[in-house]
Amino acid sequence: MQRTIEIYAQDAYRAKTETRFCPGIFFEEVYKRTDAIVCDIIEQMEIYLEDSKQHGYKAKYHGMGNNIVVFCADRGQGKTSAMQSYAAYLQNSGRAEKQFFTENSAVDRARFIVLDPIDPSSLDSGESIIRVLVSRLFLAFSKIAEKDNIPYKDEINFRKEKDNILKAFQECYENIDYLQKGRYRETDDLETLAQLGNSSELKKNLYTLVDHFLDVFLCEDGKKASYLVVQIDDADLSMGDIFKICDDIRNYFSIPNIIVMMATNYPQLELAICQRYMKQYEHIIKLQGRAGFEEECNRMAFRYLEKMLPAGHRVVLPSVDVVMNESSDLLMLSYYKKSSTRKEESYVEVFGSEIDSNTENCQCKNMQQQLIKILYMKTGIILLERSGEIHPLLPHTLRELTHFIKLLDDMEMIDQRKAFSARDNIKEDTETEKWKRNLDILKRYFLNYWCGTHLLYKQQKLMEEIDLSNRKMESVYQGIMKYIGDGVEGVEANPVTYRYIMRELVENRLKDEPILQSAIFFYYTIVLNEWFVRAIESPDQFRLIAEFVGKPLDVNMESNNKEKYNILQFDFNGGKIREYAQDELTNTLNYTWVSLFCTDVSDKIEKPIEKSTLTGVREAELRFDLFRPVLAMLDSDTGLTQGIEKRPDDNPASDSDEVKIGDGQYLSDMSHLVSVKNMIANYDIQNWIKRKVQKKIDEWQEGDERKIDKIWEEFYEIIDSWVDNVAYLGEKSILGKVCFGDNLGNSTMGDVVFLCNDNNSKEYIKEYKEHLTAIIKETIKQARQIKDSAEEEAIEVAVKQMIGGISSYSVKRNIILSMEDKKTSSQLLQRIPRINELIVIKQQFEDECNILADIKKENENREAISLKTKIEIFLKKVQGYEGMIKKI
């Protein structure tokens, strides 16, 4: 069943009291479990009171049973809210929806007075929790007496009851004073006996006091059973003697008209009790040197709490992160704010109106998606869901969740496309200002709150150093190396870059500290998003961002194994492209392709290719980078629009800046820059794409489909495909359409550039030689079998079958550039000398196969030459091709 966490803006920094009890609320099972325990306590008290009337041991309270309900959870998981919410339900019975709780239960037969929670941490001065309780009762009674708010119809009866309750107060205070004074002074045996008597008398007087108190506050005709509900909040946080507090609750509050509710972190409470035993017996431990005494103290603490807080009366609260990890789609979030448009007090659910107001396909399916979406809408930062766990940067407790939602709610919505348009339109700078403010708020929250909550002190200091260094990667390197404990040797030898820090140090060296890893990744995600926003006002910063981050996809750009192809990035000589492409470079589309994907690195610095470099005689060193167009978009759109069709002027929506990037699709709303920013500035997306692309490379190196332009196109599909994981964002990535769309994707220049690289050309020739040699060897093998074993009349059929198989084998799909591609082979491959030699041999081989296949051809020596002889002549010619291929 789906659960919903309801958060109200006014409860952001305080314990929330549930306003309604209905199916589907997050603590539904908690409240039902609590109700069952309270019903059991009431029933046991009813049995006890009935039994005491017959046996007269009402004042001794033996056999009454346990009257404590304990809410157990870690810090910030909502135990105080759950306790106060159920206590409020008892105070105001009837607020739950019908059939939420069991009808006609013991709770329905009773009435309750609920006191405000008692905080044991206020008892550090030695104050008694019993005195605090009695003081609370006296304060409440004084208020009703002062206002003359007489609950009795008969004033005489009220005065009589007033005298009784004041007497009970006096007796309780005397008992408490005697007990407290006895703790701090030496006493003889008679005083000890008197003190024990006062202890027993206190319990009796406290019962009488509570009884009179309930009669005063709940007096009416046909009175039901009445109970005082005492709430003890955060018992484990008390810095005083927690054992004394627990003992007082167990000894004096176990009376048949009180129900005690406690909220505590049970393991921490158990540890506090254990430490009390350790301190009490430390002298024995030192004197006797007893091994295993700490374990014995642990067992003593366990047995003590098992008696005071039995397992059957413990309500264990669900943890937000555990629920998300186990069944993420079963948890949703609702955030309510007071309506500012209505006169009467009402609340508006924010997420429904602000987050899921777009199309149905963009709606969130769980709370994690809701948080990721609102974070993106306010800051532009994208986190990707993790399988089987909630993202470490998202809230893991109810308290964190409430604070985080309030933080995001205080931010304004941003329109990233409108902000990026400020690059050309200064009027939109208000959008960038909102964006900068939001990122600054998030950054301060992350450094001041999240890091303090989730990181160790040493890790927090490292984050402070990284923040001070920010983009000075040498300083960041030194800080991380010191943290790791390796010193700073080798700082000059290592490439101290963003990529190196993130991959080699954070991912590898800090892999045993995943929370710290996530902190560093998220910090730089914030920093890069901040940098992008600042660059809107100073466009030259976009180039610096690209240089800082490096390649957007940190994969193995060049093959370490020189027997493999270089796919994504490689260097080549500019003279070769002129030699191979010749006139093709004069074509605008081809030149645009080369200028977009290639740069001049002759001077060891990447710079755009000049047209004279391709048409002139200068022997420039060029570099192909499949992802260069992505980075080029940060500097300018000029390169992307060359040779691309613009929107027709007669179109009503005509805009001179719009260019066509696909069938009926035009680039005009800065979506391409949003796509670039999302990929480069968000580490989660960087990492996701990196893994997908690296996997694609591995598949390609071993796969059957290896046509180079198809592989490149698939890489751009991968770059854009991250949005499939976050469809609920309502965002699209169009990098593939812009950088490798229909126009550029159809260019034949990619084949030429690919083979201009020495390693690729060498590997291609080697692979095609092996491929062609394998075809010839197989042909020779089959031809020999036909000649030696086939009957004369069957040779013709066998030869045709053999030739048909050769034809199929010769177009093997795993050859990266097929000789059978007439467009490629005629225009490009034949211009490469060694490849052309292979083409000639292949053509000669195919001609011989065709001659052999044409068995019925008439010639003057037909009668003299048999079919077997023809095969022998074929074999002699074909066998020579193997040697020719080896020499190439």
Side-chain angles (χ1 to χ4, degrees), residues 65-238:
N66 191 285
N67 65 333
I68 304 175
V69 183
V70 57
F71 295 83
C72 304
D74 203 351
R75 294 279 156 260
Q77 296 292 1
K79 53 186 179 293
T80 299
S81 295
M83 178 181 71
Q84 291 184 183
S85 296
Y86 184 78
Y89 161 73
L90 294 180
Q91 181 80 40
N92 307 287
S93 294
R95 295 183 65 184
E97 288 190 7
K98 191 175 182 181
Q99 297 181 345
F100 184 82
F101 293 119
T102 303
E103 294 184 358
N104 300 319
S105 66
V107 170
D108 293 334
R109 299 194 302 269
R111 292 175 308 153
F112 306 88
I113 292 294
V114 178
L115 297 182
D116 291 337
I118 298 174
D119 183 0
S121 63
S122 63
L123 309 180
D124 290 342
S125 60
E127 180 64 275
S128 165
I129 194 170
I130 314 169
R131 183 185 291 274
V132 172
L133 172 62
V134 175
S135 299
R136 294 275 182 93
L137 296 177
F138 185 77
L139 179 62
F141 176 74
S142 298
K143 288 180 179 180
I144 195 174
E146 288 174 2
K147 294 179 180 179
D148 292 328
N149 187 15
I150 301 173
Y152 286 91
K153 294 180 180 178
D154 188 349
E155 186 175 348
I156 297 176
N157 288 336
F158 173 71
R159 289 178 180 176
K160 180 180 179 181
E161 192 64 33
K162 180 179 178 181
D163 292 338
N164 291 334
I165 197 170
L166 289 174
K167 181 181 178 182
F169 274 121
Q170 183 64 36
E171 291 174 344
C172 284
Y173 272 120
E174 289 177 358
N175 295 145
I176 294 169
D177 284 339
Y178 190 87
L179 289 175
Q180 281 194 307
K181 290 176 183 178
R183 295 179 191 271
Y184 301 105
R185 61 185 177 86
E186 295 182 2
T187 58
D188 57 25
D189 292 341
L190 290 177
E191 286 182 307
T192 302
L193 288 174
Q195 183 172 322
L196 292 174
N198 275 276
S199 175
S200 177
E201 194 69 17
L202 172 59
K203 197 168 185 178
K204 174 183 175 182
N205 291 336
L206 187 59
Y207 171 81
T208 303
L209 172 62
V210 172
D211 212 25
H212 287 306
F213 183 86
L214 293 171
D215 283 344
V216 170
F217 277 80
L218 297 176
C219 61
E220 62 179 11
D221 295 334
K223 149 175 108 167
K224 301 178 181 178
S226 303
Y227 301 93
L228 179 71
V229 178
V230 179
Q231 301 178 82
I232 313 294
D233 190 20
D234 287 331
D236 54 293
L237 288 183
S238 174

Side-chain angles (χ1 to χ4, degrees), residues 338-347:
K338 283 187 177 181
S339 173
S340 58
T341 59
R342 302 178 185 177
K343 294 182 179 180
E344 69 278 6
E345 183 174 310
S346 61
Y347 294 89

